Amino acid sequence: MNQDSFTRRKVLKGTGAAMLAIAASNAAGIAAAAQNAKENTTAKDAPEPGEETRAQRLAWWQAARFGMFIHFGVYATIGRHEWEMEDEAVPVAEYASHAANFHPRVGAARAWARLARQAGMRYMVLTTKHHEGFCNFDTKLTDYNAVKQGPGHDIVREYVEAARAEGLRVGFYYSLMDWHHPDGAKCATDEEARKRFVAYTHGLIRELLTNYGKIDVLWYDVSWPLDAEGWESVRMNKMIFELQPEIVVNNRNKLKGDFSTPEQKIVAETGGRAWESCMTMNDSWGYQAADDNWKNSRTILRNLITCVRDGGNYLLNIGPKPDGSIPEPSVHALRETGEWLASNGHTIFGTDLCQPRRSNYASYTRKGNTLYMHVHFWPGDYVAISGLMAKVKSAKLVKTGETVAFTQDEFRVRFTGLPIEAPDTPLTTIAIECDSEPHQDTDFVRKNKPRMDV
C-alpha cells in the first residue's frame, strides 16, 4: 500500500472525503498489482529469445556429438586446480599477480585444434573468462586481459582461427561469476553494484560475439550470485541472438536455453530436450600438476557411446599447461580415441536413440534396424545378448568385415566362433542387422525362461 495515502489524509475535508480517498488509493493499488501480475505472467509464459529457431540452430550440434572443452587461464600457472583462488582463499591482489607470469606460447591453440580433429571431435569450447575474472581476449572493459597482461596476445582470437583452420565449430565458455571484479559479490545486495556488474557482463559478451566472426556455441557457467532477473538474462540472450542468429546457447544463465549441461555425469534428458554431458580427462578442469587420475581411451569411448545412445553430446575437457601444451596422457588417450573412430565412427555419428543397454561387458548404439554391440571387455569365443526381441538377420565384425555366426531363441542371441583375442582396441564392435528396430526385454527373460525342477 502507498504510504502517501495516509499522509494526505489530514488535508482531506471530512471523514467521508477521507474514506473516499483511501478507497481510491486501494483501488489504484489493486489495479496496479493486477497489471503487474499480468505482465509477469506474460513474461513468464512468453517464448525465450531464440526459441522459434531452436530446432534449426541445433541441427548441426546434435549431429556433432563429440566436442573438446578447454579450461585455460591464470590458474594454469599455479597448477593447483581452477578453483584454487576460492578454495584456498587467495587474496585478489596476490592471485592477480600471477597474470604477469602467464606466458602461453603463440601457436598453442593450433595444437589443441589439431588434437581435437585427430580425436574425431567436431567442435570446441574455450574458456574466454573463468571464475577468476581474467579475460583471455582483447577487451576495452578491463585491463585484466590477455593482451595487457603476461600473454601479450589475444588467446581467443588465436583459438578461433585454429579451430576454423581444422574445420571445427567454435564455442565460447563464459563464467558469469567473477571473483576479481569489485561488484562480483556486492551485486547481490547493492542495486547500483548490480547495474554496474550486469553492464560489464553484457558488455564483455557483446565484445566476444562481435569481434570474432561467426560463433557457434555460447556456454555460460555459474550464475552466482544472481538469478535470471538479476542478470537480465532475457535481454542478454536477446542481444546474443541479434549478434549471432545461428548460435546455440546453454542453460546456465538461469534460462531454459537450447540444451542442458549435466556435469561429470551422464544424465539423459527426456521429451526430446537437447543435452550435453561435460567431463574432465582427470579430476580437474584446469591444469593441476598433481592430478594423475587420467581417463583412458576405453573410458572415453564408453562415455561417448552412453551419451550418443540416449541422444546426447559428450564435451570432454583438456587442461593445458601454463605454456599451452597439452598433458601427454590427454594426448595419448585422445589420439587412440580418434584412431578407433576413424574406422568405427559410423557406429557413433548419425545414429538413433537406442533402447538396448543391458550387458556386463558391452554397450550399444543403433542406426535404423542395425544394432552395434561395442564390446569393451572382450570375453573371447562368444558374446550374447539377453532378451533381444527383434530377429537377427546377419552379423559381422566392424573392424575386419568378417561374418559372425549366431544362434537365436526367444531368450538370447549367441554370437559364436569369435577370436580369443579382441580384433580391435580399445573396443570391438559387432554390427547386428535385425528385421525390425532392435528392442531388449530382460524382464521377459526373467519371467519366462524355464527353471529347473526341484
Side-chain angles (χ1 to χ4, degrees), residues 53-204:
T53 61
R54 180 169 294 145
Q56 174 189 344
R57 290 182 292 102
L58 276 171
W60 75 264
W61 183 88
Q62 291 181 305
R65 294 302 188 198
F66 194 22
M68 175 181 280
F69 216 175
I70 306 142
H71 276 64
F72 192 49
V74 173
Y75 42 83
T77 67
I78 306 169
R80 296 172 68 91
H81 198 278
E82 72 286 348
W83 275 72
E84 194 254 357
M85 183 178 178
E86 176 152 304
D87 286 351
E88 298 186 10
V90 182
V92 173
E94 178 184 327
Y95 187 92
S97 68
H98 290 281
N101 301 319
F102 184 30
H103 298 296
R105 59 181 176 79
V106 174
R110 289 301 304 269
W112 306 342
R114 192 176 304 115
L115 180 61
R117 180 182 53 77
Q118 291 171 345
M121 294 161 162
R122 307 294 178 85
Y123 62 105
M124 302 173 72
V125 178
L126 171 70
T127 51
T128 62
K129 179 181 79 72
H130 202 256
H131 316 326
E132 65 180 6
F134 184 82
C135 295
N136 279 326
F137 56 99
D138 190 8
T139 173
K140 296 178 180 178
L141 300 180
T142 177
D143 289 343
Y144 197 49
N145 70 68
V147 174
K148 294 186 177 179
Q149 299 292 328
H153 65 276
D154 190 330
I155 296 170
V156 167
R157 184 168 300 283
E158 182 181 330
Y159 151 76
V160 169
E161 292 172 354
R164 289 178 182 151
E166 296 295 339
L168 301 169
R169 297 271 189 164
V170 176
F172 287 166
Y173 164 110
Y174 183 91
S175 173
L176 296 167
M177 179 168 69
D178 192 317
W179 299 326
H180 180 85
H181 194 282
D183 293 325
K186 189 179 180 182
C187 63
T189 55
D190 182 323
E191 176 60 12
E192 292 305 310
R194 187 199 70 81
K195 290 177 181 178
R196 288 192 301 269
F197 190 49
V198 167
Y200 175 73
T201 298
H202 286 219
L204 289 177

Side-chain angles (χ1 to χ4, degrees), residues 398-433:
V398 170
K399 179 67 174 180
T400 65
E402 295 177 66
T403 298
V404 176
F406 65 91
T407 59
Q408 183 174 16
D409 59 33
E410 62 178 323
F411 302 114
R412 68 172 175 170
V413 187
R414 295 179 82 243
F415 300 93
T416 58
L418 298 173
I420 298 301
E421 299 294 328
D424 201 0
T425 186
L427 311 178
T428 294
T429 301
I430 303 173
I432 304 163
E433 183 67 29

Side-chain angles (χ1 to χ4, degrees), residues 115 281 295-297 300 326-339:
L115 180 61
M281 284 291 297
K295 289 179 177 64
N296 59 27
S297 56
I300 292 168
I326 308 164
E328 183 54 35
S330 293
V331 175
H332 179 74
L334 288 174
R335 283 180 177 163
E336 281 193 349
T337 298
E339 288 170 4

Side-chain angles (χ1 to χ4, degrees), residues 5-40:
S5 64
F6 294 103
T7 60
R8 287 196 305 267
R9 191 168 45 181
K10 59 188 176 183
V11 301
L12 294 174
K13 303 297 184 181
T15 305
M19 294 303 293
L20 285 172
I22 293 170
S25 178
N26 286 345
I30 292 169
Q35 180 63 28
N36 287 338
K38 180 180 178 181
E39 291 175 356
N40 289 337

